[in-house]
């Protein structure tokens, strides 16, 4: 879960960075392009909603990472009773 969360956070961050870097010109209609490929033409509301969706995906990735770290700490702090070994009869 930790790797999946880190992968999600990294992918969303990289995609957002590429979109922002490639689309610094503004206007009433935005042509979104990533790595030289036009993806869509969006208005201001669509860009805002896409930003909300990316933000939610980023938070989902952070929650997965935090959950994994908490679970790992909880499992390490748990003490297990010692098992006695008896020789076979």
């Amino acid at each position: 879960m930790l790797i999946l969360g880190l992968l999600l956070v990294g992918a969303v961050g990289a995609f957002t960075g590429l979109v922002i870097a490639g689309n610094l010109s503004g206007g009433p209609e935005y042509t979104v392009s990533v790595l030289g490929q036009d993806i869509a033409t969006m208005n201001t509301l669509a860009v805002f909603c896409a930003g909300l969706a990316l933000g939610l995906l980023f938070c989902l990735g952070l929650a997965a990472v935090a959950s994994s770290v908490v679970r790992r700490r909880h499992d390490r702090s748990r003490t297990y009773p010692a098992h006695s070994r008896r020789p076979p009869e």
Side-chain angles (χ1 to χ4, degrees):
M1 188 64 108
L2 177 67
I3 294 173
L4 183 63
L6 288 174
L7 183 66
L8 186 60
V9 167
V12 169
F15 181 76
T16 304
L18 285 172
V19 167
I20 289 172
N23 298 291
L24 293 176
S25 63
E29 294 287 323
Y30 300 94
T31 302
V32 180
S33 62
V34 175
L35 300 175
Q37 301 294 323
D38 293 340
I39 295 176
T41 301
M42 300 180 171
N43 60 12
T44 308
L45 179 62
V47 171
F48 178 74
C49 290
L52 284 177
L54 285 172
L56 287 174
L57 283 173
F58 187 79
C59 289
L60 178 68
L62 286 179
V65 169
S67 161
S68 176
V69 168
V70 167
R71 179 175 292 166
R72 181 176 289 172
R73 283 186 185 170
H74 179 70
D75 288 344
R76 284 186 181 175
S77 67
R78 184 181 300 175
T79 58
Y80 296 102
H83 295 290
S84 61
R85 291 188 163 219
R86 292 186 198 170
E89 294 178 12

